[in-house]
């Protein structure tokens, strides 16, 4: 277990997940750390959220899987991964040697999948579980396209996961809803220790010369700076509806972007697409936040949370 | 091999043919790091438009100096921004990335087939192959028209036999590079092999049986690579192809640049960009 420096102005507790700083790398954007270790010091990060793990190996969607849009990125990767057993036996030992907190992201097509994943991961030394109920690129056995589009299914899955583990449980929410506050509330009532928001926005682009979609899966999830205003608004909306910590995600490229999320009510942030543009993005944001607090005489990042003047 | 994220100084950035640019970069600590077939992930601008880096294959590499050359064609916003960068300015680069070309021991006859900008990484490969003793290098360059034919001189200076094929016939033979490859394979080995093989049917004959020294390398559009795979299949010639796909991270983290192989989807940036053509599943 990594020792937390009590004098650290950036340390934060996210529903029992104690972090040296509130900057994590978002699921699916940082691999299992080994890909990035030659480029950055992974131990500096508050936490690494793994690429989502499914019960069985998952091949992912047909290519093309990526398409760049104006200040954004559409992806339809479809959670390609080697499955739970491979994660536990080969990925996790490597992850744990990275010297930071490891949050396992889990995804499934039905409630039973999430239960089995949570049960298996409870027996490992991952530090928390992020429940991905909002990936727009896989099909679920659910009346709605995504579990996170319905408060009832959100509640069912989070409740089931909570029964299987004592580790902090984070519900990852979708922006593709009419009222994210309602869904955040459902997650909280079901026992979620925190919510992370937002996952990608469903989007698509078209090659008009060929009259075909740009992505093999037709639609994908939009991320990057283009979605930051949506994410900020949703964090702000949820902040007034739940008491559990909110982890802000969506187009965070710089320290300034991260600060905006804290002001809107986020207790931590996840960096996603920015990792592709600059593998050092998260490290730079951590340094930037430390400097920001120092320059303003703030003792802890908590002083910033929800302090938006309206 | 350590990857680098660093600022690379632009030493040269000049247009060598309409829309085709050659760029030389000085990257501190780069000497001896890159292999032919690998690429650099380049941030073309500083803003969010374009947002992502651009993968550009290494065109010429120096083992002794921190200098790497790139050859790129202006295709979109990223390469357009790159083309406007002037000498003496710095580019944010990550690399070298990916797996390069492999040269199995015992080969000394090499056939390189390039479609369009496919010439870019093949020059680095030819540079490397030219250091081998008793080698013979044949390069087929296929392009749309005469204006798009680049690198002939580079290959010739290396000592390669260069065959140019253009779709409109404005330079070299008219037609496709792949048709020329078929002809070369026929001339090169099958006739010879058939003579040696006696009563065996041609379909039983493999270059592997009679000319284990042949190495075939291809780089170009997906359609061309698929054709090459089809052409070489009956002869069981082991062929390495360099592939392109839109990339996110460039380091294997995002699984965005997937290509379908016999082993499932693999990452062009990590397991590739060079794959054995026999491993690719062509849809």
């Amino acid at each position: 277990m990594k020792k937390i420096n009590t004098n650290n102005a950036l340390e934060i507790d996210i529903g029992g997940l104690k972090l040296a700083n509130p900057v994590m790398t978002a699921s699916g954007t940082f691999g299992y750390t080994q890909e990035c270790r030659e480029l950055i010091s992974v131990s500096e990060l508050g936490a690494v959220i793994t690429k989502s793990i499914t019960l069985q190996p998952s091949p992912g969607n047909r290519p093309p899987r990526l398409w760049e849009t104006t200040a954004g990125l559409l992806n339809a990767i479809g959670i390609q991964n080697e499955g739970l057993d491979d994660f536990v036996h080969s990925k996790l030992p490597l992850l744990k040697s990275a010297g930071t907190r490891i949050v396992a992201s889990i995804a499934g097509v039905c409630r039973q999948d999430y239960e089995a994943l949570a049960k298996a991961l409870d027996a490992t030394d991952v530090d928390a579980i992020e429940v991905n109920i909002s990936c727009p690129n896989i099909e679920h056995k659910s009346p709605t396209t995504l579990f996170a589009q319905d408060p009832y299914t959100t509640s069912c899955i989070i409740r089931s996961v909570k029964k299987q583990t004592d580790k902090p449980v984070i519900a990852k929410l979708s922006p593709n809803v009419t009222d994210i506050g309602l869904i955040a509330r459902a997650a909280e009532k079901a026992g979620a220790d925190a919510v992370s928001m937002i996952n990608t926005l469903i989007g698509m682009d078209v090659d008009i010369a060929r009259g075909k979609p740009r992505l093999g899966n037709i639609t994908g999830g939009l991320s990057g700076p283009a979605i930051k205003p949506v994410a900020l608004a949703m964090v702000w909306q949820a902040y007034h509806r739940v008491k559990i910590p909110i982890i802000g995600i969506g187009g965070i490229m710089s320290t300034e972007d991260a600060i905006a999320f804290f002001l809107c009510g986020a207790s931590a942030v996840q960096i996603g697409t920015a990792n592709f543009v600059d593998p050092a993005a998260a490290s730079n944001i951590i340094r930037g936040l430390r400097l920001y607090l120092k320059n303003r005489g703030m003792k802890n990042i908590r002083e910033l949370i929800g302090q938006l003047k309206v | 091999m350590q990857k680098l994220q660093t600022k690379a100084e632009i030493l040269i950035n000049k247009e060598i043919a309409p829309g085709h640019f050659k760029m030389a970069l000085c990257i501190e600590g780069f000497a001896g790091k890159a292999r032919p077939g690998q690429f650099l992930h380049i941030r073309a601008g500083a803003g969010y438009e374009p947002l992502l880096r651009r993968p550009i294959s290494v065109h010429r590499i120096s083992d002794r100096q921190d200098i790497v050359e790139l050859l790129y064609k202006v295709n979109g916003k990223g390469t357009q921004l790159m083309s406007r960068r002037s000498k003496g300015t710095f580019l944010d680069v990550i690399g070298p990335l990916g797996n390069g070309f492999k040269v199995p021991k015992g080969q000394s006859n090499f056939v390189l087939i390039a479609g369009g900008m496919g010439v870019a990484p093949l020059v680095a490969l030819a540079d490397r192959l030219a250091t081998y003793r008793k080698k013979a290098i044949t390069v087929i360059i296929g392009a749309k028209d005469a204006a798009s034919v680049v690198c002939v001189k580079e290959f010739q200076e290396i000592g390669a036999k260069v065959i140019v094929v253009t779709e409109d016939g404005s330079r070299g033979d008219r037609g496709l590079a792949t048709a020329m490859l078929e002809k070369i394979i026929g001339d090169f080995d099958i006739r010879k092999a058939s003579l040696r093989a006696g009563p065996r049917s041609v379909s039983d004959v493999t270059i592997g049986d009679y000319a284990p020294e042949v190495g075939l390398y291809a780089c170009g559009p997906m359609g061309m690579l698929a054709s090459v795979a089809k052409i070489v299949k009956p002869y069981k010639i082991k062929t390495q192809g360099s592939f392109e796909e839109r990339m996110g991270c460039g380091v294997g983290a995002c699984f965005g640049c997937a290509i379908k192989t016999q082993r499932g989807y693999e990452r062009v940036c990590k397991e590739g960009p060079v794959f054995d053509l026999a491993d690719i599943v062509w849809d």
Side-chain angles (χ1 to χ4, degrees):
Chain A
M1 209 42 112
K2 199 177 171 218
K3 207 174 170 184
I4 303 288
N5 176 4
T6 47
N7 296 320
N8 188 342
L10 290 180
E11 79 166 25
I12 194 102
D13 185 330
I14 305 292
L17 172 67
K18 292 180 173 60
L19 305 176
N21 68 69
V23 181
M24 320 178 203
T25 50
S27 178
T29 65
F30 208 66
Y32 301 97
T33 73
Q34 67 268 41
E35 295 85 358
C36 308
R37 277 193 202 188
E38 288 183 55
L39 294 167
I40 74 156
S41 167
V42 179
S43 62
E44 284 178 33
L45 303 171
V48 169
I49 321 282
T50 69
K51 183 168 178 60
S52 288
I53 306 150
T54 52
L55 217 44
Q56 302 300 331
S58 168
N61 289 330
R62 59 179 295 214
R65 293 176 171 183
L66 293 179
W67 182 254
E68 193 176 326
T69 59
T70 307
L73 174 64
L74 277 170
N75 92 79
I77 288 156
I79 312 190
Q80 179 177 345
N81 79 108
E82 298 296 319
L84 176 67
D85 282 350
D86 175 77
F87 175 79
V88 172
H89 296 114
S90 69
K91 305 286 194 309
L92 190 55
L94 242 162
L95 281 161
K96 287 306 287 182
S97 70
T100 184
R101 297 278 193 258
I102 301 301
V103 178
S105 170
I106 59 172
V109 296
C110 59
R111 181 175 56 82
Q112 288 80 0
D113 283 2
Y114 288 95
E115 258 177 17
L117 285 158
K119 189 176 181 183
L121 289 167
D122 186 63
T124 70
D125 50 5
V126 299
D127 297 291
I129 296 173
E130 184 179 76
V131 190
N132 182 0
I133 47 175
S134 48
C135 176
N137 296 322
I138 55 170
E139 285 181 21
H140 302 94
K141 289 176 188 163
S142 157
T144 50
T145 311
L146 313 172
F147 294 121
Q149 284 175 325
D150 180 71
Y152 177 72
T153 48
T154 298
S155 173
C156 284
I157 290 167
I158 299 301
R159 212 177 293 278
S160 297
V161 167
K162 278 297 287 184
K163 279 184 191 157
Q164 301 298 332
T165 180
D166 295 326
K167 295 181 191 291
V169 170
I170 304 160
K172 186 164 180 181
L173 306 186
S174 169
N176 304 297
V177 293
T178 47
D179 180 1
I180 200 155
L182 189 72
I183 311 289
R185 190 89 186 90
E188 182 181 45
K189 275 188 169 171
D193 298 288
V195 286
S196 53
M197 58 171 52
I198 55 175
N199 206 321
T200 54
L201 286 140
I202 294 171
M204 66 188 284
D205 205 354
V206 171
D207 179 348
I208 58 163
R210 296 189 306 141
K212 292 182 87 171
R214 295 288 191 185
L215 296 172
N217 200 45
I218 304 172
T219 62
L222 181 67
S223 64
I227 73 162
K228 191 185 78 173
V230 179
L232 282 173
M234 290 197 156
V235 167
W236 177 244
Q237 284 164 6
Y239 181 64
H240 297 286
R241 302 284 288 277
V242 295
K243 291 192 172 65
I244 52 175
I246 297 166
I247 303 166
I249 323 165
I252 301 172
M253 306 295 287
S254 64
T255 304
E256 290 83 353
D257 293 342
I259 291 165
F261 275 84
F262 286 105
L263 289 172
C264 287
S267 294
V269 290
Q270 290 180 20
I271 312 302
T273 304
N275 295 320
F276 304 161
V277 180
D278 183 2
S283 307
N284 291 339
I285 290 168
I286 293 164
R287 267 189 286 281
L289 286 175
R290 197 168 280 135
L291 194 65
Y292 179 85
L293 295 182
K294 191 182 162 195
N295 289 345
R296 278 158 186 76
M298 291 179 171
K299 289 202 177 81
N300 194 280
I301 189 84
R302 287 190 297 272
E303 292 175 44
L304 204 61
I305 300 168
Q307 295 307 304
L308 190 72
K309 292 173 190 150
V310 289
Chain B
M1 200 173 292
Q2 190 86 24
K3 288 175 231 160
L4 293 168
Q5 181 184 1
T6 189
K7 300 284 179 202
E9 186 184 354
I10 299 172
L11 304 176
I12 299 167
N13 192 21
K14 65 174 181 189
E15 193 168 15
I16 55 152
H20 295 70
F21 286 76
K22 194 173 263 192
M23 179 183 268
L25 295 173
C26 177
I27 308 175
E28 212 182 306
F30 198 79
K33 283 211 161 74
R35 290 199 320 273
Q38 288 190 297
F39 67 95
L40 298 180
H41 215 23
I42 294 178
R43 191 154 187 213
Y48 300 154
E49 189 62 18
L51 179 65
L52 298 177
R53 289 170 181 269
R54 295 292 184 264
I56 310 278
S57 57
V58 296
H59 173 56
R60 287 197 119 156
I61 38 183
S62 162
D63 280 341
R64 293 205 182 94
Q65 290 173 298
D66 291 339
I67 293 172
V68 59
E69 280 181 32
L70 311 173
L71 175 70
Y72 63 96
K73 189 178 173 186
V74 174
N75 265 332
K77 288 172 194 159
T79 41
Q80 199 163 59
L81 271 178
M82 275 179 68
S83 73
R84 291 180 193 148
R85 301 294 295 263
S86 50
K87 182 183 165 183
T89 61
F90 287 78
L91 274 180
D92 188 329
V93 305
I94 300 176
L97 299 173
N99 277 314
F101 294 107
K102 292 177 189 77
V103 184
K105 275 184 186 162
Q107 291 184 342
S108 58
N109 278 316
F110 301 101
V111 178
L112 279 52
I113 174 165
M117 287 306 291
V119 289
L122 293 181
V123 171
L125 175 66
D127 274 334
R128 182 62 50 93
L129 296 177
T131 63
Y132 296 9
R133 282 200 298 168
K134 286 188 184 173
K135 80 285 166 187
I137 307 170
T138 305
V139 182
I140 308 167
I141 300 177
K144 212 171 143 191
D145 50 33
S148 310
V149 177
V150 287
C151 297
V152 173
K153 205 173 142 207
E154 281 88 338
F155 284 120
Q156 282 171 341
E157 282 169 0
I158 291 164
K161 179 187 171 193
V162 182
I163 302 164
V164 175
V165 179
T166 52
E167 284 175 40
D168 66 355
S170 54
R171 184 167 174 187
D173 284 18
R174 181 195 290 265
L176 294 174
T178 44
M180 183 57 70
L181 176 70
E182 268 187 300
K183 187 173 176 291
I184 283 180
I185 287 178
D187 292 349
F188 188 56
D189 259 286
I190 298 307
R191 196 175 303 149
K192 188 169 73 182
S194 301
L195 287 173
R196 286 194 222 153
R200 279 174 70 182
S201 69
V202 171
S203 61
D204 288 336
V205 175
T206 70
I207 282 186
D209 290 341
Y210 296 97
E213 75 274 16
V214 174
L216 183 57
Y217 299 87
C219 184
M222 194 63 121
M224 186 201 100
L225 294 172
S227 289
V228 171
K230 206 172 160 188
I231 291 164
V232 300
K233 201 176 174 188
Y235 309 120
K236 295 175 185 158
I237 305 170
K238 212 166 161 56
T239 306
Q240 293 173 54
S242 179
F243 288 76
E244 263 194 327
E245 188 55 73
R246 289 185 181 273
M247 284 183 192
C249 65
V251 296
C254 74
F255 288 83
C257 56
I259 188 168
K260 202 171 189 179
T261 74
Q262 307 286 355
R263 299 174 290 272
Y265 286 120
E266 293 197 330
R267 299 162 291 188
V268 171
C269 73
K270 187 79 179 174
E271 283 82 26
V274 176
F275 291 92
D276 187 330
L277 289 192
D279 288 344
I280 303 299
V281 176
W282 309 94
D283 284 328

